[in-house]
Amino acid sequence: MASKEYYERWLKIKEDFEKALAADQKIQDLASDSIGIKPQATAIEIVARVYSQYCILYNRLCECYDQMDQVQRRPFIRQIIDTITCRLLELKSSLETVEAFEYTYTDNALKQMLIIPQDVEILCPFFYPFEIRQKEMQYIIDQIFAGNRIGDPTPTQSELELREQQRLEEEMRLKEEKEEEIRRKLALGEDIESIHSEVLSPEEIEKRRLEEEYNRHVNNIQRMERSRNIVRQNTKKINKDKALYLELAGLKKPEASPYMKERAAALIKTIYKRFMEIKREQKRENKVKEKLQMIITSQPKPSQKTELKRVEEIRRSYRQKYHEKWLEDHIKEKAHILQIKEGHIMDDITSEIREWFRVWYNKVRTFDEFPWPEEGGSILVVKGETFTIEEYIEYRAKEDKRLKEEAGNPKTKQQIKAEKLEAKLEQRRIEKEALEKEKKRFSDYRKSRLNPANDPGVFLTVGKQFERLQEAWKDYQTQWRNIDVPDPPLEVIKGYIKELLIGTAYQEVHLQLRPIVDEMMRLELEQLKMSLKNDYNVAGISKPPQSEKRKKPRKPKVPKPEKIPPARMFQELFDEGIIKQHKRLTIDDFWGDRNYAAADMRAVEWTPSFPPPCLGDVREQIRIRCLLTLGSSCRNANRSILLVGPKGSGKKTLVYALATETNSILIDLSPFNVYNKYPGPKNLKKMFNLINKVSRLMQPAIILVSDADKIFYKKVPPEEKMFDPTRLQKDLFKEIVKPISEKDKILVIGTASEPWLTKGAVMLKTFSSMIMFPRSDYGSISYILKTVLMKYHGIDREFNVHSLAQTLRGFDINTIRRAIETVLDGNRIAQLYFKPLEPAEILKAAMDDSQGNYIDPFDYDMFTQWYLASSPWGGEYAYYMMMLESQLTYKLKEEKKKKK
């Protein structure tokens, strides 16, 4: 796609973004005005429409940010993406609150918008894996994962001498072995071949290995071809000898008559003609079904994703060249401004600050406090964020009144302390009353919902991230409103705008010089204050009026340089097996279909039903609550999440896929992985320190706690006591989860297969969010069967996957795939043409699989009961069901009265 087309797409995105902001503003108005929405399904649709609009915009914005060639527009788009991410997480939380469920369904809103669920599927943006981690850290990771030891400490002189001594001893040993071999051959009279020790580089060794492999393949092909020719010649000779023998012995059957030959040929023609007609009809039907996606061809067309990725990489290279050129010109322009206009800029800043001094002196005969450098210095004066004259007059009146009262009745230190304590207690009392009032209001609200006549409806929450999103959009519009026109010059579409570059460089020079001017003006202000104080003393005023003292802000802590190099820390954790190389998967490798009926079944007003989620719904949850969270800097993002589900349900697969798509390092803190590592309290503390430092230096990072339920055991089974699985129970939250801030691109993911054996409260404190994995469902299994089986050319395109999918419900996906691979071995594939595959064969293989996992509804009921009892959504679900039952009872009573 050309740069102009991306620009036109961006103009369209701007229009859609304005519409989404307007729709979101309506939600904010409903929430701030406390307007209830009835029925429940309507509230869901209102929030879901805005949520879906933002999902579509998010994907389109990420694509524009990745592929757009205009250098100066991209930072603004990135800012909009960051804020829209936080708003998406907030809307997802609102949807869960309105639906009172962890899984939410926007299908009814999508119908109104005429789009499909795949259109609102969040995709992993390009900048997640490639613009977060520093290049130096990525180099360390690549080198250590490739087997190069770059993290080892620098050897001392004694260690170098020891290594050299060991090398010489090894050479001496090899030399003695060669001499011993030569003496042995001389004693036995064997030929002595000249042995040349050859030292090859790694590249030469690899080249030689490839040559040997190539020659081996060539020799195999030649040997097979010679064997085939010999077998054909021998077969031909045997058949010829047999025919000659039968002819000489008089046993050869006479040839058929010409009439019989003609009849046979006619029969063959008729049958072959009918066969070809049936084949052509079947081919036409298959083409129609293939277009309608009723069947899957065994030879799919080449995917266009490969070509698309190639084009995207080319565009990224062009974009990088534009960025380098812009950076070079920016540096030149900044140096030019410093050289030519440094004095003028400093004079302008000085005049601006002196005018501020003059205004204060002329109006109130005093001076305001100069802002501290940590606050921004005189930048606050320019922004108007300092004390105004009106605020000073009001402050001065209160201060004079306070001084008069103290002069008449001075307070002791004990009285002042008692007043402060009393004010503090009063503030606590007010907060407690407000909390109790809010609890009472919430309780009354829930009670009122039990009767449909008094039901106020659903109240939406005010979005705290909406203002940030508006500010980001306002910043862009302020800069680019007059530039984004339908037929712009070329520099607006790609490259950079020279005028904006000059303005940005001038602004940076201005910010660079302002602290220098501020220091000089602080000294000048001190002199002015001294002169003013002398003037007041001459006038007989001992204590001149002063502005309110500014509290000195805390200086930001400068991070101390690490004593241990990052490569060494990473190498140590990698050697211990705590940092691991994971499987390269994608989220799309977690196969599963969505529950398309859930939205309609939940939307029934009085008697809704709540079908369980499907595997595709889990994938969507991971995209929103893990993928978005890992790349965001949002306060409302949960940085620790627990994946709960049966064994083999795909929990680790999704973790590996998430790490792959975000280019995250995987730190494995599973109890069976660390039980014998860093023994003792001090070493455990060291391990936590290393993990915290490495995860922040190398972020994005995923900390995997597989079998997290074993860490929080109520009672450790005897067979697992030797592994001490509860070793991390006390420190996991305090040392790993709690220190994670909103700016850290770190995610803690735990997996649990037997959560009912744990101390639920302690585990849920560590993992603040939870995703429940369902049993394998009919839709997901039928999709998997079609996808896997139809890759085999001999499988009937009309193979009955539906009945097989119904039968295989409860088997995990890996068991089903293994069953297919077991059945369709080489011999069975060769027989498919004349012996079609039967569903019973796959079912038998799945049932005979010793590693297979099957969860029946009764076993899964243990997960459901634990989830309802322990999850925060369990209580919400119980109240929601009680409310529906109560409203239905009232409705039936009213209908009964009307009939009478």
Side-chain angles (χ1 to χ4, degrees):
M1 189 180 289
S3 298
K4 187 176 181 180
E5 293 178 2
Y6 271 107
Y7 176 74
E8 292 172 354
R9 178 178 289 193
W10 170 247
L11 295 181
K12 177 62 177 169
I13 288 174
K14 287 181 63 179
E15 295 177 7
D16 295 342
F17 196 81
E18 293 280 1
K19 294 176 183 177
L21 284 176
D24 201 358
Q25 182 63 57
K26 293 179 181 178
I27 291 181
Q28 299 300 310
D29 295 340
L30 290 172
S32 58
D33 296 340
S34 299
I35 298 175
I37 304 170
K38 292 190 296 186
Q40 195 100 355
T42 305
I44 294 170
E45 289 177 14
I46 290 173
V47 180
R49 276 198 297 269
V50 179
Y51 172 79
S52 301
Q53 286 176 316
Y54 280 140
C55 285
I56 296 170
L57 284 169
Y58 177 84
N59 290 332
R60 293 166 66 189
L61 283 166
C62 290
E63 183 183 7
C64 273
Y65 178 78
D66 178 23
Q67 296 295 303
M68 188 170 280
D69 290 337
Q70 221 295 333
V71 178
Q72 294 158 316
R73 189 184 283 111
R74 292 181 75 247
F76 291 93
I77 298 177
R78 175 63 185 272
Q79 185 181 4
I80 295 171
I81 290 173
D82 291 340
T83 53
I84 209 173
T85 300
C86 300
R87 183 60 183 145
L88 267 175
L89 293 173
E90 197 170 49
L91 285 171
K92 170 65 176 172
S93 178
S94 297
L95 268 176
E96 291 174 352
T97 304
V98 173
E99 290 209 49
F101 289 100
E102 178 185 10
Y103 289 90
T104 57
Y105 298 93
T106 61
D107 297 25
N108 292 332
L110 300 182
K111 289 178 186 176
Q112 298 173 9
M113 299 169 68
L114 301 179
I115 56 178
I116 59 176
Q118 285 73 17
D119 292 333
V120 297
E121 192 175 80
I122 293 295
L123 304 177
C124 182
F126 173 81
F127 59 85
Y128 268 24
F130 299 105
E131 292 190 10
I132 295 177
R133 185 179 294 134
Q134 298 176 3
K135 292 182 179 179
E136 296 82 0
M137 300 303 166
Q138 186 62 48
Y139 173 78
I140 292 172
I141 294 171
D142 293 339
Q143 289 296 315
I144 292 178
F145 279 171
N148 302 321
R149 302 192 64 83
I150 64 172
D152 292 335
T154 305
T156 60
Q157 184 63 30
S158 59
E159 289 176 344
L160 290 173
E161 292 175 356
L162 181 61
R163 290 180 187 177
E164 182 64 19
Q165 183 180 355
Q166 291 174 349
R167 187 185 66 81
L168 294 174
E169 290 176 356
E170 181 65 18
E171 288 182 358
M172 185 63 68
R173 186 184 65 80
L174 292 174
K175 184 177 179 182
E176 291 176 355
E177 287 180 357
K178 286 181 182 179
E179 292 176 354
E180 182 66 27
E181 182 67 15
I182 291 172
R183 286 195 294 270
R184 186 187 66 80
K185 288 186 176 182
L186 287 172
L188 297 175
E190 297 178 1
D191 294 334
I192 302 174
E193 299 177 355
S194 60
I195 303 172
H196 300 284
S197 59
E198 190 175 13
V199 179
L200 299 177
S201 65
E203 291 80 8
E204 291 173 338
I205 294 173
E206 180 65 17
K207 183 179 179 181
R208 181 170 294 185
R209 186 190 67 79
L210 292 174
E211 287 179 356
E212 291 175 354
E213 185 178 356
Y214 173 77
N215 292 332
R216 187 169 65 253
H217 290 316
V218 170
N219 292 335
N220 286 337
I221 293 170
Q222 291 176 346
R223 187 167 60 251
M224 291 171 66
E225 184 64 20
R226 286 194 296 268
S227 175
R228 188 180 66 81
N229 288 332
I230 292 171
V231 170
R232 185 176 60 183
Q233 292 172 6
N234 290 340
T235 304
K236 187 176 181 181
K237 183 175 182 301
I238 289 171
N239 291 337
K240 186 177 180 181
D241 293 344
K242 185 178 180 181
L244 181 61
Y245 168 76
L246 292 174
E247 185 178 355
L248 294 175
L251 301 175
K252 189 175 182 181
K253 295 180 181 180
E255 290 187 5
S257 63
Y259 173 73
M260 290 299 296
K261 287 182 178 180
E262 289 176 2
R263 285 191 63 187
L267 181 61
I268 292 172
K269 286 179 182 179
T270 303
I271 294 173
Y272 183 73
K273 184 178 180 180
R274 181 56 186 157
F275 169 76
M276 293 304 295
E277 288 177 359
I278 294 172
K279 189 174 181 180
R280 282 192 290 270
E281 289 174 2
Q282 189 178 12
K283 192 174 182 180
R284 281 195 296 270
E285 290 178 2
N286 287 341
K287 282 186 178 180
V288 173
K289 290 180 179 179
E290 184 183 338
K291 288 181 179 179
L292 296 174
Q293 295 184 354
M294 294 173 65
I295 61 172
I296 301 174
T297 177
S298 61
Q299 296 178 348
K301 295 179 181 178
S303 174
Q304 296 179 353
K305 287 184 178 181
T306 306
E307 180 64 20
L308 180 61
K309 288 181 179 179
R310 188 184 68 82
V311 174
E312 287 177 347
E313 285 296 332
I314 293 173
R315 288 191 61 84
R316 288 185 192 119
S317 64
Y318 281 117
R319 188 194 71 201
Q320 185 63 27
K321 289 178 182 177
Y322 285 129
H323 180 77
E324 291 172 358
K325 182 70 168 59
W326 170 82
L327 196 62
E328 182 181 345
D329 288 356
H330 180 75
I331 294 171
K332 289 180 181 177
E333 188 64 34
K334 189 175 175 181
H336 177 73
I337 292 172
L338 271 172
Q339 183 180 3
I340 302 299
K341 296 187 177 182
E342 180 180 357
H344 297 291
I345 293 173
M346 295 182 73
D347 290 342
D348 291 342
I349 299 172
T350 303
S351 301
E352 187 179 48
I353 298 173
R354 282 176 178 162
E355 180 63 24
W356 180 55
F357 295 161
R358 192 176 296 111
V359 168
W360 270 78
Y361 180 76
N362 291 337
K363 289 189 176 182
V364 290
R365 287 295 186 271
T366 188
F367 299 103
D368 191 14
E369 292 292 324
F370 207 99
W372 297 96
E374 292 81 5
E375 295 178 295
S378 58
I379 286 289
L380 297 185
V381 178
V382 178
K383 291 181 178 180
E385 296 179 5
T386 55
F387 227 28
T388 63
I389 303 294
E390 293 76 13
E391 289 173 343
Y392 167 75
I393 294 172
E394 185 179 351
Y395 161 77
R396 190 70 257 165
K398 291 181 181 178
E399 189 69 12
D400 291 342
K401 184 179 179 182
R402 183 184 65 82
L403 292 173
K404 286 180 182 179
E405 290 175 354
E406 288 183 359
N409 186 17
K411 296 179 181 179
T412 62
K413 291 183 178 180
Q414 289 79 7
Q415 288 176 329
I416 296 172
K417 189 175 181 181
E419 286 180 359
K420 288 183 179 179
L421 181 61
E422 186 178 353
K424 192 174 182 181
L425 293 174
E426 180 66 17
Q427 182 66 25
R428 286 183 182 177
R429 187 186 63 79
I430 293 172
E431 290 176 357
K432 187 177 180 180
E433 286 181 357
L435 184 61
E436 290 176 355
K437 187 177 179 181
E438 180 64 23
K439 284 182 179 179
K440 187 177 183 303
R441 188 195 66 80
F442 185 68
S443 177
D444 293 341
Y445 166 70
R446 288 205 160 190
K447 287 178 182 178
S448 64
R449 295 210 68 192
L450 298 178
N451 188 342
N454 302 327
D455 184 9
V458 178
F459 293 109
L460 302 178
T461 55
V462 179
K464 296 179 181 178
Q465 302 296 331
F466 181 66
E467 290 184 3
R468 285 187 59 207
L469 184 57
Q470 283 183 316
E471 288 174 5
W473 182 244
K474 185 179 178 181
D475 290 344
Y476 176 81
Q477 289 290 74
T478 302
Q479 181 73 39
W480 292 85
R481 182 184 288 109
N482 299 325
I483 300 174
D484 289 343
V485 293
D487 294 318
L490 186 62
E491 60 186 7
V492 177
I493 298 175
K494 62 180 180 180
Y496 55 89
I497 302 171
K498 186 70 174 177
E499 291 77 8
L500 290 182
L501 184 144
I502 295 172
T504 306
Y506 192 88
Q507 184 180 6
E508 289 184 6
V509 170
H510 201 278
L511 293 174
Q512 182 179 338
L513 296 176
R514 185 170 285 274
I516 302 172
V517 178
D518 284 356
E519 289 300 319
M520 294 189 296
M521 298 312 295
R522 282 191 182 91
L523 297 174
E524 186 171 324
L525 180 60
E526 291 297 324
Q527 293 176 356
L528 289 172
K529 284 183 177 180
M530 291 295 296
S531 300
L532 183 64
K533 186 177 179 180
N534 294 332
D535 292 344
Y536 274 108
N537 289 334
V538 170
I541 301 173
S542 59
K543 191 174 181 181
Q546 293 181 349
S547 179
E548 186 178 11
K549 291 286 185 182
R550 300 184 70 89
K551 292 182 180 180
K552 186 174 182 179
R554 292 183 179 179
K555 290 185 178 180
K557 291 184 178 180
V558 180
K560 297 179 180 179
E562 294 292 342
K563 296 180 180 178
I564 306 175
R568 185 173 172 185
M569 292 189 289
F570 191 90
Q571 183 77 64
E572 181 176 344
L573 290 176
F574 181 73
D575 292 342
E576 291 289 343
I578 294 175
I579 291 179
K580 292 184 175 180
Q581 286 183 281
H582 53 81
K583 297 178 182 177
R584 309 297 294 179
L585 301 170
T586 63
I587 295 179
D588 291 331
D589 291 332
F590 183 82
W591 291 349
D593 205 1
R594 301 166 179 264
N595 190 337
Y596 295 101
D600 291 331
M601 296 174 75
R602 289 184 178 189
V604 180
E605 187 172 0
W606 300 106
T607 56
S609 56
F610 308 95
C614 298
L615 295 178
D617 301 326
V618 175
R619 185 175 60 238
E620 189 62 23
Q621 286 283 86
I622 292 293
R623 289 184 187 278
I624 296 293
R625 295 169 61 182
C626 296
L627 186 65
L628 279 184
T629 298
L630 187 57
S632 69
S633 299
C634 311
R635 293 182 180 179
N636 56 325
N638 290 319
R639 300 288 175 178
S640 61
I641 190 165
L642 183 67
L643 309 181
V644 181
K647 292 182 179 179
S649 56
K651 300 185 288 295
K652 282 188 179 179
T653 300
L654 281 173
V655 175
Y656 296 150
L658 191 64
T660 302
E661 294 211 8
T662 57
N663 193 31
S664 301
I665 60 170
L666 188 67
I667 301 173
D668 192 351
L669 273 183
S670 306
F672 292 149
N673 185 50
V674 299
Y675 76 96
N676 59 347
K677 292 164 182 148
Y678 295 96
K682 289 185 178 179
N683 288 329
L684 188 63
K685 182 76 173 176
K686 177 186 175 184
M687 181 185 76
F688 285 135
N689 287 335
L690 285 174
I691 289 172
N692 285 327
K693 289 176 181 178
V694 169
S695 61
R696 279 157 184 79
L697 288 170
M698 309 286 184
Q699 58 182 299
I702 293 177
I703 300 175
L704 171 63
V705 188
S706 184
D707 297 322
D709 47 348
K710 299 183 184 301
I711 295 179
F712 302 97
Y713 266 143
K714 293 178 184 176
K715 185 179 180 181
V716 180
E719 62 272 14
E720 295 183 10
K721 283 187 177 180
M722 62 177 292
F723 299 106
D724 191 14
T726 60
R727 181 186 178 206
L728 304 180
Q729 185 179 122
K730 293 181 180 179
D731 301 320
L732 185 61
F733 174 76
K734 182 177 66 176
E735 298 290 344
I736 298 296
V737 179
K738 192 176 180 180
I740 299 176
S741 68
E742 62 188 48
K743 295 182 180 179
D744 293 329
K745 306 298 185 293
I746 302 171
L747 192 63
V748 182
I749 302 180
T751 65
S753 301
E754 296 176 328
W756 48 85
L757 300 178
T758 65
K759 301 173 183 176
V762 182
M763 183 170 70
L764 293 178
K765 179 186 176 183
T766 305
F767 300 99
S768 55
S769 181
M770 184 192 307
I771 295 179
M772 182 78 167
F773 279 58
R775 291 175 70 231
S776 54
D777 56 280
Y778 160 76
S780 299
I781 295 176
S782 60
Y783 171 77
I784 291 161
L785 288 173
K786 285 180 184 177
T787 306
V788 176
L789 286 174
M790 296 307 154
K791 291 180 180 179
Y792 297 93
H793 182 69
I795 297 291
D796 183 11
R797 302 296 103 181
E798 302 288 345
F799 181 80
N800 186 10
V801 299
H802 307 290
S803 59
L804 182 58
Q806 287 282 9
T807 312
L808 288 173
R809 283 185 302 173
F811 283 96
D812 69 279
I813 305 306
N814 287 329
T815 300
I816 296 171
R817 296 182 71 170
R818 280 198 305 270
I820 294 173
E821 292 171 0
T822 302
V823 172
L824 292 175
D825 56 3
N827 292 331
R828 189 66 185 88
I829 293 173
Q831 297 171 3
L832 287 175
Y833 185 75
F834 59 88
K835 185 181 177 183
L837 181 68
E838 296 293 335
E841 297 179 62
I842 297 177
L843 177 61
K844 185 177 183 304
M847 296 177 69
D848 293 342
D849 189 355
S850 59
Q851 301 178 359
N853 294 309
Y854 173 74
I855 299 294
D856 59 30
F858 300 103
D859 292 337
Y860 190 75
D861 191 55
M862 297 175 68
F863 288 94
T864 306
Q865 294 301 325
W866 176 84
Y867 180 76
L868 293 176
S870 303
S871 167
W873 296 112
E876 294 294 324
Y877 176 75
Y879 163 75
Y880 188 60
M881 295 302 295
M882 181 187 68
M883 183 196 73
L884 291 174
E885 186 178 353
S886 175
Q887 288 190 356
L888 181 60
T889 304
Y890 275 105
K891 179 178 178 294
L892 293 175
K893 285 181 180 179
E894 288 178 3
E895 290 179 353
K896 192 174 181 181
K897 287 180 182 178
K898 288 179 182 180
K899 287 180 181 179
K900 289 181 179 180

